[in-house]
Amino acid sequence: MNYVIIGGDAAGMSAAMQLVRNDAQADITVLEKGLYYSYAQCGLPYWIGGDIEKEEKLVARDADTYRIKHGIDARTEHEVTSIDVNEKRVIGKNFEIDYDKLLIASGARPFVPDWNNNHLKGIYTLKTIPDAKKIIQRLKGKRRNITVIGGGSIGLEIAENVCKAGHKVRILERSARLAMNFDKEMTDHIHEKAIEEGIQLDLNHDIIGFEGDEEGNVTSVITNLSTCKTDLVIVAVGVRPNTDFLTNTGIHLDEHGAIKVNRYMETNLKDVYAAGDCATHYHRITDKDTYLPLGTHANKQGRIAGLNMCGKPRVFKGIVGTQIYQFFDLTLARTGLSSREIEELGYAYKCVQAKLPHVAAYYPTHEPILIRLQYNEKTGEVLGGQFIGTKGVDKRCDVLATALYHRMTMQDLEELDLGYSPPFNSVWDPLQQTARRRS
């Protein structure tokens, strides 16, 4: 069987390895636009910040490993420009290759709006190792004034790491608050932490464009409210699926440009699959497809796509929207739906919130966790939760994600048999204590 995969990172290589393991006759070709295979995109801010010392730490397997150890024709600098779905042929710059089965795992790219003068030098996005190299090189030598555009998870991670590296940081955000996928009651604490760490927050700022010097270097960001002097700009306002090359193929896309797939990672075209940041994701709570590009989803979808391609049916059972990230000494985590998302769906819901110690209150290492839960007012089914704290956040978020996956109620949360010992927990876990406070 002649398998062709477009994209050599999380989804693509997860699929490729399933083909290697399950089809002894597999002839696998992977077409990667860049130079790097299987690298940790989520680790790039920490490389810039110095927590990760070497580029090599970010690469799980290079192209030569796939070629030599696994017999995969892993190509680099092979950009696909179109697909002939009638002839079952992938077409690129200076190459064509036929397929029996095709996986599109082309990922996503950072989105840069059509702002004035966005071509100036010193304006960056962060998605690839070469992107990070350029930023690291530009930051060398002296303390810089850095503007981060975007207050979502990537923007906050970048802001933290360049701040920790000794630079002066400003965040420009078009909304009234940071981290819009958290409820306002939670984001106030994120604002406080940013200001405490010396980050300037400019909220409600719509970007108009940039000004530069005679050499073409960015010197200012112009917004609807001010002109901000800067030495360097990092844009983190979201991503878009890499699906432009699918024009005229007949492959169905959603409103984001993501490829619509079923639970087997199949597109609407025979023998064409898609997975990862270029594809849709089934959401278990809403029972609808959505677009939430994360590495965890890409790895799972890629694995399932590979199994289905080689005749071992496996269903993708969906996501619940779990995210976690660090912001200085805080851990920020969420899973399920926020209040805003629930309201958009028209569900009748209630919220309950509590601030509780992450272990037994009398134990000397206890630290507070702020927990906010959303649940269906009529059925009691848990709809989502958010967590902020310095310790124990990841554990509670993962317990709640498991509860959401199984569509448990708030009463079910109370009845979970969770581990207890004073250095690790209270008799009643903070998550359970919060659930018990509902009216």
Side-chain angles (χ1 to χ4, degrees):
M1 181 73 73
N2 183 21
Y3 301 102
V4 175
I5 297 172
I6 302 172
D9 201 12
M13 300 321 294
S14 293
M17 292 309 298
Q18 291 305 311
L19 297 173
V20 167
R21 293 171 183 139
N22 292 284
D23 186 351
Q25 305 302 316
D27 183 355
I28 307 166
T29 302
V30 181
L31 307 170
E32 168 55 43
K33 177 181 178 180
L35 290 169
Y36 293 87
Y37 272 65
S38 296
Y39 68 95
Q41 296 178 19
C42 297
L44 295 175
Y46 303 98
W47 183 28
I48 292 172
D51 288 342
I52 297 170
E53 296 179 359
K54 296 179 181 179
E55 169 189 329
E56 291 76 15
K57 296 286 188 181
L58 297 170
V59 181
R61 295 187 182 100
D62 61 17
D64 282 339
T65 300
Y66 288 114
R67 293 168 188 145
I68 297 167
K69 186 174 180 180
H70 302 293
I72 297 170
D73 183 1
R75 306 184 188 185
T76 57
E77 297 184 293
H78 275 62
E79 181 178 357
V80 174
T81 55
S82 62
I83 300 171
D84 186 333
V85 296
N86 295 316
E87 297 296 325
K88 301 184 81 170
R89 182 172 299 140
V90 176
I91 302 163
K93 296 179 179 178
N94 305 315
F95 72 90
E96 294 186 6
I97 183 169
D98 294 335
Y99 65 86
D100 294 318
K101 292 190 178 182
L102 172 66
L103 172 64
I104 304 169
S106 50
R109 65 190 181 280
F111 174 60
V112 180
D114 189 22
W115 294 318
N116 295 335
N117 297 322
N118 63 12
H119 64 280
L120 290 171
K121 290 183 286 186
I123 300 173
Y124 300 97
T125 57
L126 182 61
K127 186 69 164 64
T128 67
I129 287 176
D131 291 340
K133 282 183 176 178
K134 291 176 185 177
I135 294 171
I136 290 169
Q137 186 61 38
R138 186 67 179 251
L139 292 178
K140 285 182 177 178
K142 66 177 183 179
R143 187 172 189 252
R144 305 279 185 179
N145 292 316
I146 298 174
T147 302
V148 177
I149 300 178
S153 59
I154 301 301
L156 291 177
E157 288 177 343
I158 292 170
E160 175 201 348
N161 280 282
V162 292
C163 183
K164 285 165 62 177
H167 303 283
K168 186 176 180 181
V169 181
R170 175 200 307 264
I171 297 177
L172 291 177
E173 167 57 48
R174 67 180 300 182
S175 302
R177 51 194 174 88
L178 303 175
M180 285 292 291
N181 56 356
F182 282 78
D183 289 357
K184 182 183 183 303
E185 291 80 359
M186 307 295 281
T187 56
D188 288 345
H189 298 273
I190 304 173
H191 294 181
E192 291 171 6
K193 175 55 64 174
I195 293 168
E196 176 187 318
E197 297 292 342
I199 294 176
Q200 180 171 336
L201 298 184
D202 288 348
L203 306 176
N204 297 304
H205 278 246
D206 276 319
I207 308 300
I208 296 171
F210 307 95
E211 292 180 335
D213 60 20
E214 294 179 355
E215 297 178 351
N217 296 299
V218 67
T219 57
S220 300
V221 185
I222 304 169
T223 79
N224 60 321
L225 298 175
S226 66
T227 297
C228 311
K229 296 295 183 182
T230 193
D231 299 317
L232 182 148
V233 176
I234 303 175
V235 181
V237 296
V239 298
R240 297 292 184 271
N242 286 323
T243 55
D244 292 348
F245 65 94
L246 299 178
T247 303
N248 300 322
T249 62
I251 292 176
H252 293 170
L253 308 178
D254 76 351
E255 65 273 18
H256 304 286
I259 303 165
K260 291 184 178 182
V261 292
N262 64 16
R263 305 286 291 280
Y264 297 90
M265 301 294 102
E266 297 169 319
T267 72
N268 60 299
L269 300 182
K270 181 176 173 56
D271 296 327
V272 180
Y273 299 74
D277 291 358
C278 64
T280 57
H281 308 92
Y282 169 67
H283 201 297
R284 293 180 64 88
I285 302 174
T286 65
D287 197 28
K288 296 177 181 178
D289 288 336
T290 188
Y291 182 62
L292 187 57
L294 291 172
T296 49
H297 307 158
N299 278 279
K300 292 184 183 77
Q301 285 193 328
R303 173 182 169 83
I304 289 169
L307 288 168
N308 286 306
M309 290 171 75
C310 64
K312 294 186 177 294
R314 180 76 66 87
V315 169
F316 177 63
K317 294 190 176 179
I319 67 171
V320 295
T322 307
Q323 292 177 279
I324 186 168
Y325 51 98
Q326 177 179 292
F327 190 54
F328 296 98
D329 63 341
L330 292 182
T331 302
L332 316 178
R334 68 176 299 263
T335 187
L337 305 175
S338 67
S339 294
R340 175 176 55 84
E341 291 168 325
I342 297 169
E343 289 166 6
E344 288 173 356
L345 291 167
Y347 295 172
Y349 77 103
K350 286 187 175 181
C351 294
V352 61
Q353 185 168 313
K355 191 172 186 179
L356 299 159
H358 86 290
V359 297
Y362 58 82
Y363 199 78
T365 61
H366 77 269
E367 295 285 346
I369 298 181
L370 183 63
I371 301 176
R372 183 174 175 84
L373 301 177
Q374 289 80 235
Y375 62 97
N376 188 303
E377 183 178 1
K378 297 178 180 178
T379 67
E381 181 180 335
V382 185
L383 297 175
Q386 299 164 24
F387 309 82
I388 295 180
T390 57
K391 293 180 180 179
V393 167
D394 52 344
K395 171 181 176 178
R396 276 71 191 200
C397 183
D398 286 345
V399 169
L400 188 64
T402 304
L404 288 165
Y405 185 93
H406 293 286
R407 308 201 71 139
M408 294 170 66
T409 66
M410 295 285 274
Q411 183 172 329
D412 291 332
L413 281 182
E414 289 184 42
E415 296 172 356
L416 288 175
D417 183 15
L418 302 177
Y420 162 65
S421 178
F424 302 101
N425 209 345
S426 301
V427 175
W428 287 93
D429 184 273
L431 183 60
Q432 296 173 308
Q433 293 184 57
T434 305
R436 290 174 59 189
R437 296 187 181 200
R438 69 190 186 281
S439 57

